[in-house]
Amino acid sequence: MKRWLQEISQKYQGKVKITVKNDSPGHFWADVDTDRCFGELIVSESGFRPYRYVSFTVLDSRADTAQQPVFVYFDSEKDTPGDVLRGLDKGIAFIITDI
């Protein structure tokens, strides 16, 4: 996930702000934001939640809209690393729209 975030940061330099909130063993949490969207990426060890390891949620941050997710990705036990990256790429597509 860190490599993926680095690639996004380089590709959209100056347009996307990435803030790592937690980078500890068993838990990684980062915000991926623009003027239009807030994204939250969480990677953690398996536990009681609706995803296996990866959660990526994107909210529309414009003042004239309700704070409802415009995109949610949760991995599952059947997902391959490629499936996870494709899910994250779909979330970035929502974040970078109109920038």
Side-chain angles (χ1 to χ4, degrees):
M1 295 310 125
K2 292 178 194 177
R3 180 184 296 166
W4 179 81
L5 279 176
Q6 289 172 343
E7 291 172 6
I8 295 303
S9 178
Q10 290 172 352
K11 186 174 183 178
Y12 301 106
Q13 187 173 11
K15 297 178 181 180
V16 174
K17 179 182 177 188
I18 297 174
T19 306
V20 175
K21 302 282 190 166
N22 188 331
D23 187 4
S24 60
H27 189 75
F28 180 81
W29 171 25
D31 291 338
V32 182
D33 304 327
T34 68
D35 292 338
R36 192 181 77 75
C37 288
F38 299 121
E40 179 182 67
L41 173 64
I42 298 173
V43 182
S44 61
E45 294 178 355
S46 187
F48 183 72
R49 56 188 165 264
Y51 58 92
R52 184 174 181 202
Y53 299 113
V54 180
S55 166
F56 191 34
T57 305
V58 178
L59 299 174
D60 189 331
S61 64
R62 293 175 293 186
D64 61 340
T65 61
Q67 287 296 314
Q68 298 295 319
V70 294
F71 177 84
V72 176
Y73 171 76
F74 297 144
D75 73 335
S76 70
E77 292 194 20
K78 65 180 180 176
D79 287 348
T80 66
D83 294 332
V84 172
L85 292 175
R86 281 187 290 281
L88 297 177
D89 286 341
K90 287 179 185 178
I92 284 297
F94 281 95
I95 290 174
I96 63 168
T97 301
D98 298 330
I99 63 170

